[in-house]
Amino acid sequence: MAQDLTILGLESSCDDTAAAVVRQNGSGPAEILSSVVYDQTALHSAFGGVVPELAARAHAEKLDHCVRAALERAGLTLAGIDAIAVTAGPGLIGGVLAGVMCAKGLSAATGLPLIGVNHLAGHALTPRLTGAIPYPYLMLLVSGGHCQYLVVRGPEEFTRLGGSIDDAPGEAFDKTARLLGLAQPGGPAVEAEARGGDPQRFAFPRPLLDRPDCNLSFSGLKTALLRQRDRILSEKGGLTRQDRADLCAGFQQAVVDVLAAKTRRALGLYLDEAPAAPALAVAGGVAANRAIRAALEGVAGEAGVAFLAPPLALCTDNAAMIAYAGIELYRSGVRHGLDLAARPRWPLDRSSPALLGSGRKGAKA
Ligand code: KG4
Ligand code: ZN
């Protein structure tokens, strides 16, 4: 019988300061006892992106408050905690350091074991936190800073099948919104506009579909959009509401088609291994897009594979996923000492060479 575990998780790798308490009794379902996220959007909004120095300072100021709030909401003190899990990378190094130092302080003061967690592993394991999904499953991580296909085999065992060689899809949505004068974050704004648009009116490329691998590219879509926009501007002097909606619909349809086609390929590779209970899981802010979600669900359905998309609050950055990853790592014997290092880069699949850009231009992972 597996041990009952209650783990405190800390996350501070980008612009969310987060702490959470997750419990798993034996091998039963994991339960989120609390999950607190202090987001820094207002702090960075005037700068058009996350300012690493400001982010790090705000994390250092907020982490202990966040931990206190997470413990209070869980109805616990540190005496009720079995281990402390913390994001030790990849991410903005100042923020990661703030989290790691806070976790080391708590560990040194209480004697509780310390577990360093890879932030991306936190995202990739989330479908096991929210549903009883067995290994191995195929994971598509799609966010503002990341885009990759992973076969998830265990808490430290991942095979990367491919990913973006330039922009992440969320970044492409954000840039598209900026080019069309829509609000940030761009994803929801572009999706709303696209609903009233004609996806056929403007031609958008479908990058890398001619290549048989699982790599993706999104930067060309933004260039195509810029050209179409400028052509309309020079012909008519401005964009109508319909022009804007048609541009958004065409752009979004291109992202949908590329993600659907590459997911079909990744599923083919994964299914070659004949997994006993095949599943496709998706996480990251872009997974909130209804057209993308529906297309991925369709691809999974065609292949007879279960489709899982965790609730949005657990798809975006949070500490519950770090605490849960901590539970799995703890069970597999992982413990770190006070020499745990903060790592700006930390690929999940060490055997897979990093791609140029790797969809990691944005600050977030
Ligand atoms: O996972 P997330 O909150 O943070 C990162 O790790 O990046 O994802 C944020 C990204 C942003 O780029 C945002 O525009 C995009 O997810 N996003 C969407 C939608 N909602 C959020 N993209 C497309 N459609 C949406 N509905
Ligand atoms: Zn993330």
Side-chain angles (χ1 to χ4, degrees):
M1 180 70 186
Q3 179 191 352
D4 293 352
L5 282 178
T6 306
I7 291 199
L8 170 68
L10 269 62
E11 157 63 36
S12 56
S13 64
C14 187
D15 59 349
D16 292 302
T17 313
V21 179
V22 176
R23 173 176 291 162
Q24 187 182 35
N25 287 334
S27 48
E31 193 190 346
I32 300 172
L33 300 186
S34 65
S35 179
V36 179
V37 181
Y38 294 162
D39 93 85
Q40 304 179 349
T41 312
L43 185 66
H44 303 289
S45 62
F47 303 97
V50 179
V51 184
E53 276 306 316
L54 291 180
R57 212 170 307 154
H59 286 308
E61 282 166 10
K62 292 277 164 57
L63 268 160
D64 53 346
H65 299 283
C66 203
V67 167
R68 189 175 307 133
L71 287 169
E72 267 171 25
R73 284 185 209 176
L76 292 172
T77 64
L78 282 169
I81 298 292
D82 296 305
I84 294 160
V86 60
T87 298
L92 298 174
I93 193 63
V96 179
L97 264 171
V100 167
M101 294 308 288
C102 178
K104 283 182 182 176
L106 290 168
S107 171
T110 56
L112 288 172
L114 176 68
I115 299 169
V117 175
N118 182 311
H119 176 86
L120 297 172
H123 280 304
L125 296 177
T126 302
R128 287 173 57 80
L129 163 62
T130 54
I133 164 174
Y135 295 120
Y137 53 91
L138 178 65
M139 178 85 207
L140 168 60
L141 266 180
V142 267
S143 69
H146 226 90
C147 180
Q148 58 179 329
Y149 291 103
L150 295 164
V151 179
V152 185
R153 306 180 188 284
E156 292 186 285
E157 213 187 323
F158 305 89
T159 307
R160 188 178 193 278
L161 300 181
S164 176
I165 60 166
D166 42 50
D167 291 356
E171 198 179 357
F173 270 95
D174 294 341
K175 286 179 180 168
T176 291
R178 231 167 268 138
L179 290 173
L180 297 177
L182 299 169
Q184 294 293 320
V190 171
E191 181 178 12
E193 287 288 324
R195 242 169 257 142
D198 170 9
Q200 311 289 345
R201 179 171 155 208
F202 298 106
F204 280 89
R206 304 295 191 261
L208 301 192
L209 281 200
D210 52 331
R211 298 229 210 124
D213 57 27
C214 300
N215 290 331
L216 310 101
S217 163
F218 295 99
S219 68
L221 290 181
K222 166 197 71 197
T223 314
L225 184 116
L226 179 66
R227 278 210 203 97
Q228 310 269 26
R229 183 202 69 173
D230 288 349
R231 197 171 50 80
I232 305 172
L233 286 178
S234 70
E235 281 169 12
K236 301 199 290 192
L239 295 179
T240 63
R241 284 207 66 168
Q242 195 58 49
D243 292 335
R244 207 158 64 173
D246 293 345
L247 284 168
C248 287
F251 163 83
Q252 180 173 276
Q253 191 58 48
V255 176
V256 164
D257 289 351
V258 168
L259 283 173
K262 293 289 179 170
T263 301
R264 220 169 265 127
R265 270 179 215 165
L267 263 180
L269 291 175
Y270 159 71
L271 289 174
D272 281 346
E273 298 178 17
L280 168 67
V282 57
V286 179
N289 184 290
R290 281 189 227 165
I292 292 174
R293 202 182 265 244
L296 296 175
E297 196 164 6
V299 170
E302 275 166 31
V305 161
F307 178 74
L308 283 115
L312 197 61
L314 293 173
C315 279
T316 53
D317 287 352
N318 67 89
M321 69 180 190
I322 303 302
Y324 177 73
I327 288 180
E328 290 223 18
L329 290 167
Y330 186 100
R331 294 203 189 286
S332 60
V334 173
R335 308 283 186 278
H336 291 114
L338 293 180
D339 57 350
L340 171 68
R343 302 171 63 172
R345 295 198 172 270
W346 187 357
L348 279 179
D349 180 351
R350 272 153 289 176
S351 66
S352 161
L355 289 163
L356 198 68
S358 347
R360 220 13 225 104
K361 281 189 190 153
K364 275 204 174 185

